[in-house]
């Protein structure tokens, strides 16, 4: 089992940057494929990015491709999401997730076993 804690959210102006972190404790994070999701008020949770156990493969939602970068440091048991060129439509609660299965780069929330509590990102226009 793994526990996930996100940090790094906040208020930023459009065009700005933030870096989210997700610290994993318990079983080592390299045992999990991991991802970032977000949920805006009144909307369903949506996929943002995913990364394989080694960090060698990544995938992104079209809406963030070229602006966001997912990475991981398995030695520190930490997942990151670098967000650049932020837009007001990026405003949401951001969640990190982990899955212990063998399939990499999962993009559906129901495919993940473990979730953090979320961190709020607000982008002002």
């Amino acid at each position: 089992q793994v526990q996930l804690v996100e940090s790094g959210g906040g208020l930023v102006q459009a065009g700005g940057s933030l870096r989210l972190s997700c610290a994993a404790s318990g079983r080592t994070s390299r045992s999990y494929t991991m991802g970032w999701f977000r949920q805006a008020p009144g909307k369903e949770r949506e996929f943002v990015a995913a990364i394989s156990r080694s960090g060698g493969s990544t995938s992104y939602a079209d809406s963030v491709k070229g602006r966001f970068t997912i990475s991981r440091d398995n030695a520190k048991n930490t997942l990151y999401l670098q967000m650049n060129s932020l837009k007001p439509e990026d405003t949401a609660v951001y969640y990190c997730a982990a899955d212990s299965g063998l399939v990499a780069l999962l993009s559906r929330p129901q495919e993940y076993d473990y979730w953090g509590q979320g961190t709020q990102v607000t982008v002002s226009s």
Side-chain angles (χ1 to χ4, degrees), residues 12-33:
V12 64
Q13 288 189 332
S17 298
L18 282 174
R19 188 176 82 154
L20 305 183
S21 299
C22 173
S25 60
R27 192 174 171 188
T28 57
S29 65
R30 65 170 59 89
S31 300
Y32 300 87
T33 190

Side-chain angles (χ1 to χ4, degrees), residues 53-89:
R53 296 181 183 202
S54 67
S57 298
T58 59
S59 66
Y60 296 91
D62 288 342
S63 59
V64 307
K65 202 171 293 183
R67 300 188 297 122
F68 291 9
T69 302
I70 189 171
S71 62
R72 65 192 298 166
D73 185 337
N74 284 340
K76 296 182 178 179
N77 285 333
T78 303
L79 175 73
Y80 302 100
L81 185 68
Q82 178 67 44
M83 304 186 295
N84 299 329
S85 303
L86 282 161
K87 305 175 181 179
E89 52 263 44

Side-chain angles (χ1 to χ4, degrees), residues 39-59:
Q39 189 166 18
K43 294 188 177 181
E44 293 186 352
R45 192 166 297 190
E46 67 172 359
F47 170 73
V48 175
I51 190 167
S52 62
R53 296 181 183 202
S54 67
S57 298
T58 59
S59 66

Side-chain angles (χ1 to χ4, degrees), residues 44 64 100 102 109 125:
E44 293 186 352
V64 307
S100 58
L102 299 178
S125 58

